[in-house]
Amino acid sequence: MKVLIVGSGGREHAIAMSAAKSDKVEKMYCAPGNAGIAEYAECVAIGAMEFDKLVAFAREKAIDLVIVGMDDPLVGGLVDEMEAAGIRTFGPRKNAAILEGSKAFSKDLMKKYNIPTAAYENFTNPEAALAYLETAKFPIVLKADGLALGKGVLICQNLEEAKEGVKTIMLDKKFGSAGNEMVVEEFMTGREVSVLSFVDGKTIKTMTSAQDHKRAGDGDTGLNTGGMGTFSPSPFYTEEVDKFCQKYIYQPTVDAMAAEGRVFKGIIFFGLMLTEDGPKVLEYNARFGDPEAQVVLPRMKNDLIEVAEACIDGTLNEIDLQFEDNAAVCVVLASEGYPVSYEKGYPIEGFDEFKKHEGYYCFHAGTKFDDGNIVTNGGRVLGVTAKGDTLKEARKNAYAATEWVKFANKYMRHDIGKAIDEV
Ligand code: AMP
Ligand code: GLY
């Protein structure tokens, strides 16, 4: 079978590595890919938003299965275009990817179907938003409706900050048209957990849990990033929490989408907050998390291609989804200055060590080939993942492996997984 993966980050590297283990795969391509993905797939220089070129390429190579890793092409309707050309594609269609593409849509869906989430109001008019905020309780959360590289969420401590936030999102349009509509949401406190799931339109099977670290600096300080590290499983995601979420959040979400005529097939990523009043949905994503995929997929026992095909065919109920009884930690190696400004093009050394050690992975996020060398090519450069019997062991292993890798301006957080010490 010939597979095309769309995307270029650490998540797509983890997907490629997982897919490469499948006996079904004879040839893999990735558009546009990166220097690490090149080990498993032939990388082709087509951008993830170049739909016409992607469809033409898939046709020309007689691709049997396309896997879309990234949010932008999903929300933009790449799956629909591939399907229209008769190409089997794993991921939600445009009318279902709106679950991630519009926060106002997802909030209204949760309200309509009684899925636990923070109280909120949607606004298309900045004046109305400001009037509402005059009498609101603080802190309060402002969210640009559309995709904003994970940066469209502002937590405001007082009215002044909130006014500034409305200006940033709705008037200055810092996040572009994502700010045409804005969600104003109650501030929640609690432990955050990411739960990824496979969905075939009616059946949902959840994967092992994970936790991300979104802030750039140690102790959760500094700016929000795409994610600086993850661990899996989350010890805070207990059986009791899982039972509640299966009953009141996961299946109800899948059923709600189907009832709305927006049948969801692909990955639903539930961003949860474990509040004093029980688990609530922070956000939905319509794809694997990055860097959640880098700790979840290496622990998955199933054949990823088989599961993806079951989602497309509506036979997910026949799959026994299984994960290893161990743990994994991923530490992101970034370029100093990320997420604001940073330099690129520095040579990277140390990849060979990962080949010598079982259970250690070096996922490429922002890398490229330059004259035969692999050089830094982004803010998040690599994700170093290690497994262990326990979370603590996995963390020790992952940090030891970060020392194998050397490049100028290397930056990482030193407290990934620190929360597990509280358990
Ligand atoms: P989101 O993109 O919606 O997941 O938001 C990004 C981050 O902002 C989340 O991971 C939380 O840390 C934080 N956040 C979002 N919504 C809320 C909320 N209602 N209360 C507290 N924190 C929030
Ligand atoms: N790690 C968070 C995300 O992928 O959105």
Side-chain angles (χ1 to χ4, degrees):
M1 178 172 186
K2 291 186 206 148
V3 175
L4 168 65
I5 297 170
V6 178
S8 60
R11 164 184 50 212
E12 286 74 23
H13 191 173
I15 293 172
M17 189 195 79
S18 201
K21 287 192 272 184
S22 172
D23 294 337
K24 297 178 173 220
V25 177
E26 44 180 282
K27 171 85 183 169
M28 201 149 47
Y29 298 92
C30 188
N34 64 35
I37 295 172
E39 185 183 334
Y40 304 102
E42 185 177 329
C43 295
V44 286
I46 305 176
M49 294 307 285
E50 296 184 288
F51 291 4
D52 290 347
K53 286 189 188 170
L54 289 170
V55 171
F57 178 83
R59 271 198 163 135
E60 180 199 321
K61 299 291 182 192
I63 297 294
D64 301 294
L65 177 68
V66 177
I67 300 176
V68 185
M70 291 171 72
D71 46 1
D72 287 292
L74 289 168
V75 170
L78 178 58
V79 174
D80 307 57
E81 300 216 6
M82 286 290 179
E83 285 182 349
I87 299 153
R88 267 160 80 77
T89 305
F90 177 64
R93 292 180 186 155
K94 185 175 183 172
N95 76 346
I98 190 175
L99 192 62
E100 170 164 9
S102 168
K103 290 189 190 286
F105 168 86
S106 72
K107 294 297 290 188
D108 287 347
L109 185 88
M110 288 186 267
K111 188 184 206 172
K112 183 170 171 187
Y113 293 92
N114 285 318
I115 296 165
T117 189
Y120 75 102
E121 292 284 337
N122 295 338
F123 295 94
T124 48
N125 177 339
E127 297 298 322
L130 287 169
Y132 176 84
L133 288 164
E134 290 283 349
T135 59
K137 241 174 70 191
F138 290 91
I140 205 159
V141 185
L142 309 186
K143 299 184 173 186
D145 173 56
L147 296 182
L149 297 168
K151 293 176 186 137
V153 174
L154 305 175
I155 294 171
C156 306
Q157 299 301 330
N158 51 48
L159 184 59
E160 282 316 300
E161 284 183 28
K163 283 181 174 167
E164 197 53 41
V166 173
K167 183 169 176 295
T168 304
I169 293 175
M170 300 190 90
L171 299 171
D172 297 347
K173 292 271 161 76
K174 173 147 182 241
F175 311 108
S177 61
N180 290 350
E181 189 163 4
M182 187 180 77
V183 178
V184 178
E185 191 175 275
E186 167 203 4
F187 177 77
M188 302 189 284
T189 51
R191 196 63 77 181
E192 283 187 45
V193 185
S194 303
V195 176
L196 316 186
S197 64
F198 291 101
V199 182
D200 74 353
K202 41 188 198 300
T203 300
I204 176 163
K205 299 238 165 160
T206 48
M207 301 178 223
T208 180
S209 61
Q211 186 183 318
D212 191 8
H213 300 65
K214 290 209 166 87
R215 302 291 206 93
D218 284 0
D220 287 330
T221 55
L223 293 171
N224 260 321
T225 69
M228 293 300 294
T230 38
F231 59 84
S232 171
S234 164
F236 308 103
Y237 190 78
T238 58
E239 259 175 52
E240 188 192 350
V241 171
D242 182 62
K243 226 167 150 186
F244 178 92
C245 295
Q246 298 287 353
K247 185 166 175 196
Y248 295 106
I249 295 177
Y250 306 148
Q251 191 68 48
T253 299
V254 175
D255 295 345
M257 289 299 280
E260 293 292 310
R262 298 174 181 276
V263 173
F264 194 107
K265 293 184 175 196
I267 304 284
I268 300 181
F269 166 147
F270 297 86
L272 304 171
M273 176 98 70
L274 310 182
T275 76
E276 273 189 353
D277 304 327
K280 293 188 183 180
V281 177
L282 273 173
E283 64 159 350
Y284 292 116
N285 295 312
R287 47 163 177 88
F288 280 106
D290 188 343
E292 281 87 345
Q294 290 91 312
V295 285
V296 169
L297 285 175
R299 300 183 53 228
M300 189 167 99
K301 291 184 181 174
N302 302 71
D303 179 327
L304 177 63
I305 300 296
E306 207 173 285
V307 183
E309 291 204 286
C311 290
I312 296 171
D313 295 336
T315 55
L316 188 60
N317 61 327
E318 292 167 19
I319 299 276
D320 180 18
L321 200 60
Q322 292 208 2
F323 288 81
E324 292 169 1
D325 185 20
N326 57 10
V329 169
C330 173
V331 180
V332 168
L333 304 184
S335 304
E336 180 87 53
Y338 173 72
V340 182
S341 64
Y342 45 85
E343 290 173 7
K344 306 193 277 194
Y346 295 113
I348 311 169
E349 282 170 33
F351 297 118
D352 288 348
E353 282 303 310
F354 291 86
K355 299 241 177 323
K356 297 181 201 158
H357 297 83
E358 181 86 11
Y360 289 77
Y361 312 85
C362 186
F363 295 111
H364 293 225
T367 66
K368 68 169 188 183
F369 285 111
D370 184 35
D371 249 354
N373 294 318
I374 295 178
V375 301
T376 63
N377 191 40
R380 290 193 293 178
V381 178
L382 301 165
V384 169
T385 295
K387 289 188 197 171
D389 287 341
T390 63
L391 279 163
K392 283 183 185 168
E393 193 188 308
R395 179 177 61 190
K396 198 172 108 233
N397 294 344
Y399 273 107
T402 62
E403 300 298 324
W404 301 341
V405 182
K406 301 202 170 26
F407 60 88
N409 282 358
K410 175 174 137 186
Y411 171 82
M412 65 181 156
R413 274 182 66 162
H414 294 87
D415 61 348
I416 302 301
K418 188 162 184 286
I420 60 186
D421 294 337
E422 295 166 31
V423 182

